[in-house]
Each structure stands twice: as structure tokens, then as C-alpha cells.
Amino acid sequence: MENRKYVDVVMNRKSDKTTFFVIFSLILSALPFVASAYQIDTHALLTDETISFYNAHSDNDLPSDARAFLIDGTRREDDAPRWMNHFYDPIHERGLSYDPKINPEIPTGDWQKSKEWAEDGDNQNKLTYKVPATIASILTAVERWKISEITSKTDFTWREAIRHYVNGDTEQAFFTLGHILHLIQDTSVPDHTRNDPHPGDSPYENFAGKYNLSNVDKNLTDKLKTKSLIELKKLDEYFNGLAKYSSNNFYSKDTIGIQTGFSIPEQEYVSESNNYFYGIKRDENTLRKIRGIRGGSN
């Protein structure tokens, strides 16, 4: 009987975590900077909005103190060199990889797909990642003390988030879950789903960077009014679905044209405005989106 009770607790807690996790692709697809490379403070904003959206659509609000740990975990996933594993190209089934068709001058090497990195504790525990943190924590001294047991560790996988939660270590669980949130957020970025390392030259990075906890998109609440939670069965399904949408419907700077190895997106027609030509394509939601821009003649 006691064993059955324990199993019920484990499954209920796991279900709660999964329910919380499923809203990321929805939030990201609604944000105005979906085709962007996210800076650390933008990741913090995405996580904050995710929490608010979840609380507004769930019968069980997250604990009030969970917000800080989730946001800090999201930021800390960009500690070097973890970010090299934040790419997933669903068309060619690869992580960040050297591809002379895209960036012949950048010897990136080959790194793990983000969806595998999210669940590979063995890789995350390698000495490569056991280096001093490069990103400062935003937690208070008391909050840092609550997760002090794991601050020197490097395994922030989905399995570890669930394990901490089942054991009642909720602060550690939410901090670890923040790392997973970061990976899902990056999966909405075409640079990350089209194997484009974009070292400082993503046209969208500066635009996305203006959105942070101190500068929120004021139209976001209205954009999310008709949205609801999305629940899938496996973590892998969130990576696959969002990565395919991002890769198939948006260009990155260095992956425009079939010569880069990507045959889509393909425009349906061209529209001209103010001496610029815009390639337009209808997505599965029948919304017209800009696929590419080039300068027009005077």
C-alpha cells in the first residue's frame, strides 16, 4: 500500500511538471521576436511570461517563490560552453555542426542536439562543462543557499528536475527546469534550428535584446488571450514540433537559398513596399508571414 501511494505521488508530481512544461512552444510562437537570437535577459522575460501564462490557465498555480529559481536556471543555461549544445536542426537531424555551405569560415566542430543534451546526464557531467560559472546569479543569498547543493553540479537534465521535485527539493527542481526552458526557447530561433552559428551577426539579435523584464512587449497579453495550454506526452515532442515550425517557416541570415541545404521555406508570392521586396508565405494557421527581405531599387 505504501509503495502504491509513493507511485501515485511520483506520477502526480511528474504530471504537474509536464503540464507546466507544455506551454513553452505556445508562448514562444506568440512572441513578436520569435525569429530572433535570444539574449540572457530576453530568456528571463520569456520564462517570466511563461509562468504568468501557466498560472492564468491552470488550476494549480506555481509556488510564488518558484519564479526566481526558474528564471535564474534559464539564464544560467547559457554558462559557457553549454550554449554550444543549444542547436537542433530537425531537417538534417544534427546539433551545431560545421557546414561549409552555411559558414565555411567558422570551424564550429560537432556538438550534441539540444533535445538530446536536455536528457543526457553523462554528457552534462563531463569535465568540459565543469568550469566556473560565467553568468552571475540573480538569486538572493537565502535563495542561493537553498540550492547550494547543486550549484557546483552540471547535470541539469529533465530527469534531474523530476527527481528533485519527487524528493521534495522544489527549489532545486525549478532551477533545473529553468535550464530545460532555455533549450525549448532556443528551439524557436531559426538560427538554432538551421545550423547557423550567427556569431554576433544575427540581424534579429539586437531587436530581440530590447525585450527584457524591464521592457515587456505591451501587446503580448492581448496576443495570448485566445491561447490555451498544449499538452504532449514526451519532452521530445516539444523539441520536434517547435524546431520544425521554426526551421520550416523562417530563414536565418546565412540559410537563405537552396545552396545552403534548406529547400524551405519557399515563398508563395512577392510583395513590394517602400522599395523593399518581401517574400510571403501562408503558414498552417493561414497567417501570412514575411519569409525574406531584400533591398529594392529606387
Side-chain angles (χ1 to χ4, degrees), residues 13 31 33 70 117 131 158 163 172 213 231 260 289:
R13 283 183 175 272
L31 288 174
F33 38 83
L70 278 163
W117 168 256
V131 295
W158 175 240
R163 184 179 70 82
Q172 297 178 25
L213 293 173
E231 297 190 44
T260 65
K289 296 182 179 293

Side-chain angles (χ1 to χ4, degrees), residues 259-274:
Q259 75 281 357
T260 65
F262 292 90
S263 60
I264 51 178
E266 185 176 356
Q267 66 191 30
E268 295 179 8
Y269 62 91
V270 175
S271 175
E272 182 181 4
S273 177
N274 297 324

Side-chain angles (χ1 to χ4, degrees), residues 221-237:
T221 300
D222 289 337
K223 293 178 181 179
L224 296 177
K225 281 183 177 179
T226 60
K227 307 300 182 180
S228 58
L229 297 176
I230 297 175
E231 297 190 44
L232 301 176
K233 294 181 179 180
K234 297 180 180 179
L235 176 67
D236 197 60
E237 295 180 30

